[in-house]
Amino acid sequence: MDYTFTGSYEPYISPWDPCPPVKVKTFSLPPQLFMNFQPASLPQFSPAEALQHGSLWPALVDGYSKREGIS
Amino acid sequence: MWVYEKKLLYPVEVKECNPKLARYIAEQYGGADGELAAALRYMNQRYTVPDKVIGVLNDIATEEFSHLEMLATMIYKLTKDATPEQLEEAGLGAHYVNHGHALFYENAGGVPFTTTYIQAKGDPIADLYEDIAAEEKARATYQWIIDISDDAWINDSLKFLRERENVHSLRFREAVEVLKDERDRKKIF
Amino acid sequence: MDATERRDMLKNVQQADFVVVELTLYTNTHPDDQEALTQWRLAIKEAARLRKLYEKHFGPLSLHSIPSEQAIDTGWRWNQAPWPWQM
């Protein structure tokens, strides 16, 4: 897959903002938004991988993890 | 009816006593977009949806109860042997005074669960869109708990639960598509 | 068998059961996907096999499984720790 499951935008930054500005804010765009109805015969994980990832189908997994440095 | 299974849906491993994290996890235990609200919402809506989508509501509701048990396991273990002083330091002093070491259906701010968190409109599309929104809100809540938590073991289980929200959201979206196929069906007969 | 072995065998059951959970939800909205329906049937069979293997050593996971006389004789009881949240 050559796309991510993240959107981003650059919020207005005021010279009087009290905290050091985060110049780019990101948000989730999870796979179900682009699928809407799952097609048949998608590739599958093994049972062990499926439990690990939380889905039988890699195409439904976007793997969120802790974002460092954003408060 | 339901039959109890003496196992968790997904392994939960808790290595550190951390009542503060337990308090944050409570948001998904007894909060507005938590697993209790989800389970009760879907279980209740299943009576008044077309037969074709009952299974989706029934089976996702059942799975939500297994998510609730995973969260309870985390909260139980994170607070099990904490002293009253530790609980107070974690912002759980008022909880301790009211509930001791018991778990309670409340959100991260200590607000008790209320059924006003859930809806049942009796209109299949309105209810399914509510359910899709609920899954996305639960997904977001897991993101914020993962962001604020330093516990890699707990985060492993929370990531699993977050991914389940993705899958459930997709199934509810599919249920909407299934109902859209019913358009003008009466005319065919 | 020790606690680690028990946890590993339980994980096999959790993995197999999870495949059933996923395929059940999928076939709810894809009732005409024959390939998925076949896989779903086989997944239930495999989950039952692994469950039996675990239960032979550690007793029933639910009361849909028959406890062996040997299990009762050697002291297995339903109301026995550890419960899932205690492990």
Side-chain angles (χ1 to χ4, degrees), chain B residues 5-8 77 174, chain C residues 14 29 51 61 78 87:
Chain B
E5 297 229 12
K6 224 171 163 178
K7 69 177 178 65
L8 297 179
K77 288 228 174 183
E174 289 168 349
Chain C
Q14 287 167 319
T29 51
R51 171 172 298 239
L61 284 166
W78 173 251
M87 283 171 97

Side-chain angles (χ1 to χ4, degrees), chain B residues 152-170:
Chain B
W153 293 91
I154 291 281
N155 280 357
D156 178 75
S157 297
L158 294 176
K159 279 179 203 172
F160 170 87
L161 291 170
R162 177 189 173 278
E163 177 55 36
R164 297 310 294 154
E165 310 297 341
N166 282 354
V167 175
H168 292 173
S169 172
L170 177 61

Side-chain angles (χ1 to χ4, degrees), chain C:
Chain C
M1 287 206 191
D2 65 3
T4 313
E5 240 171 317
R6 179 174 181 165
R7 201 173 58 183
D8 291 346
M9 282 179 79
L10 185 62
K11 192 149 192 186
N12 292 337
V13 177
Q14 287 167 319
Q15 289 165 349
D17 281 352
F18 181 67
V19 175
V20 176
V21 166
E22 275 287 73
L23 290 170
T24 304
L25 292 185
Y26 176 86
T27 50
N28 279 343
T29 51
H30 299 70
D32 301 321
D33 186 335
Q34 295 304 327
E35 189 192 349
L37 286 167
T38 306
Q39 194 196 354
W40 179 62
R41 287 188 66 241
L42 292 172
I44 293 172
K45 203 171 158 185
E46 174 66 359
R49 185 184 73 81
L50 289 166
R51 171 172 298 239
K52 230 177 185 169
L53 213 61
Y54 175 92
E55 290 179 330
K56 206 178 127 194
H57 293 286
F58 306 110
L61 284 166
S62 85
L63 298 179
H64 278 323
S65 305
I66 304 158
S68 65
E69 277 180 42
Q70 190 197 350
I72 302 275
D73 286 346
T74 54
W76 175 86
R77 295 291 182 275
W78 173 251
N79 180 30
Q80 195 171 50
W83 290 83
W85 57 90
Q86 297 174 317
M87 283 171 97

